[in-house]
Amino acid sequence: MFMANVLISTIYDSSAVIFAIKKFDIDKVILLVDTKPDTVQSNSVKSIREVFGNLAEIKEERVDVYNIVDITKKVVGIIDSILEKDTIIVNMTAGRKPQSLGVIFAAYQRANRINKVVYITEEKKDVVTLPMLSFDLTATQLEILRNLKKIDSVSKLEKKLDIQKAMIYRNLKDLQHR
């Protein structure tokens, strides 16, 4: 079965996306487009489709460029929908800063699935590969985080999660440190 190189990319001006498609021999492109794209962004998406539409599958995902949390959730969902055997490259070069942050946070949440996160310099088209961080939380830490808003004391967390207080405190300390 065919292994694909998938690019998840922010977009405003098309130059960095076009460069990434060529540089990484991309088979599938997922463009994160504003919910209400302006003329520049719309033309950039159109030009990418015209140049690469016969060579790569091109898909658009609409995002609110200022909602970091929703962007992160959407990109995590995109990453989770990509086949395990495929290589994923994330390009966070173009677009607004909150959009780029959401994309990076999603990549860090799924660090085990991401081949690389890149930024392409405008001046020389140098590829800057960002370090991969991972937020590898334990199942206990995830359960604590899921319940923190609903439960206002360690005693209640202890009862709800059936975890000893010492363990809760240890995990809370680790989460606070992270």
Side-chain angles (χ1 to χ4, degrees), residues 24-172:
F24 301 112
D25 193 26
I26 298 298
D27 304 298
K28 181 177 181 178
V29 180
I30 302 168
L31 299 171
L32 302 172
V33 180
D34 300 0
T35 50
K36 296 178 183 173
D38 67 9
T39 305
V40 173
Q41 191 178 51
S42 295
N43 288 338
S44 294
V45 171
K46 183 179 175 185
S47 72
I48 289 168
R49 286 191 178 283
E50 287 172 358
V51 173
F52 296 102
N54 293 331
L55 304 171
E57 177 185 347
I58 299 170
K59 185 176 174 188
E60 294 174 46
E61 290 288 340
R62 300 293 171 156
V63 296
D64 176 352
V65 295
Y66 296 107
N67 192 329
I68 295 172
V69 173
D70 284 350
I71 293 166
T72 302
K73 288 178 182 177
K74 180 164 244 179
V75 175
V76 164
I78 291 167
I79 293 166
D80 289 347
S81 73
I82 296 171
L83 298 175
E84 288 283 333
K85 64 180 176 45
D86 292 344
T87 299
I88 303 172
I89 298 166
V90 176
N91 174 22
M92 48 75 61
T93 304
R96 299 280 184 190
K97 287 179 183 80
Q99 185 183 32
S100 293
L101 287 170
V103 170
I104 291 170
F105 293 157
Y108 289 164
Q109 282 188 14
R110 295 296 186 264
N112 62 324
R113 294 288 325 278
I114 305 300
N115 181 264
K116 61 178 75 179
V117 177
V118 298
Y119 176 85
I120 300 164
T121 64
E122 191 174 340
E123 304 78 22
K124 295 183 180 180
K125 297 290 186 240
D126 289 331
V127 175
V128 177
T129 302
L130 279 66
M132 286 305 297
L133 305 175
S134 90
F135 301 128
D136 53 339
L137 301 177
T138 66
T140 301
Q141 290 169 333
L142 286 171
E143 281 304 308
I144 289 171
L145 287 173
R146 284 187 186 111
N147 286 281
L148 271 179
K149 282 187 179 178
K150 299 178 254 178
I151 299 173
D152 61 355
S153 75
V154 173
S155 296
K156 290 178 184 175
L157 264 176
E158 179 184 25
K159 289 176 186 168
K160 166 89 172 149
L161 302 178
D162 194 28
I163 301 170
Q164 294 178 356
K165 276 186 185 178
M167 178 73 94
I168 292 173
Y169 280 115
R170 191 170 32 253
N171 280 290
L172 285 171

